[in-house]
Amino acid sequence: MAKIRLNVYFDPRLFDQLEATANIRRVPMTHIVEAALASFLTPDEADQREAAFVRRLDRMTRSIERFERDQEIAGEALALFIRFWLSAIPPVQDDLREAAMAQGKERYAGFVETLARRLARGSTLAKELSRDLNGDEADKRGKI
């Protein structure tokens, strides 16, 4: 391969170091300059590692943002349910309290069972809301 000639200027101290290193290693100064330039222009392992860390941090950031969004949805859903429940459920009379507690235990057991099934399936409120919202938007686009 043909080489291209390049004239460069060095600081005298840097040139003295280059010349001394070439003499000690018994190689032409050109080889040392070529190796140094190639090393400078080639990304080293540290740069590659840093790029991998940046990509991983970006993925983790997106994951945390999704988690925060899901937590916000869950908190809002719970708050709305509690608000609705407190405003819609009348107080229980003393003579019906035992029957109401038995019915409450039954409903709670059904709730826990349903929750366990949903979690085992991987179905979440956030996924359902996302599907519902995307479906509604698709319906709207289809009607236009």
Side-chain angles (χ1 to χ4, degrees):
M1 170 163 61
K3 299 223 176 187
I4 298 173
R5 182 179 178 93
L6 175 68
N7 291 327
V8 295
Y9 297 95
F10 290 100
D11 180 270
R13 285 176 284 160
L14 183 60
F15 182 80
D16 291 341
Q17 285 180 310
L18 174 64
E19 189 174 45
T21 303
N23 289 333
I24 291 169
R25 294 187 180 195
R26 298 177 190 209
V27 294
M29 287 188 285
T30 302
H31 289 179
I32 296 172
V33 173
E34 282 180 347
L37 185 59
S39 175
F40 182 79
L41 296 176
T42 304
D44 61 357
E45 191 176 314
D47 290 340
Q48 292 172 348
R49 219 176 310 133
E50 182 180 346
F53 281 131
V54 168
R55 285 191 305 272
R56 181 172 287 168
L57 286 172
D58 286 344
R59 280 194 309 266
M60 290 171 70
T61 299
R62 286 190 303 273
S63 179
I64 289 170
E65 287 170 350
R66 279 191 307 271
F67 176 75
E68 287 174 343
R69 184 204 63 213
D70 291 350
Q71 291 303 306
E72 188 175 332
I73 290 169
E76 285 296 315
L78 181 60
L80 286 172
F81 173 77
I82 291 170
R83 176 194 247 171
F84 173 78
W85 184 80
L86 289 173
S87 63
I89 304 299
V92 178
Q93 297 172 2
D94 289 338
D95 57 335
L96 300 175
R97 189 171 305 274
E98 280 188 42
M101 288 187 71
Q103 187 178 36
K105 285 181 184 179
E106 224 176 274
R107 288 181 179 175
Y108 181 73
F111 166 76
V112 170
E113 191 176 306
T114 302
L115 179 63
R117 276 197 310 271
R118 286 174 57 90
L119 291 175
R121 267 195 333 249
S123 179
T124 64
L125 177 64
K127 288 179 186 175
E128 284 183 17
L129 289 174
S130 180
R131 279 193 302 263
D132 290 349
L133 290 174
N134 288 336
D136 288 348
E137 289 179 18
D139 290 345
K140 288 178 187 175
R141 279 184 253 133
K143 292 178 183 176
I144 295 177

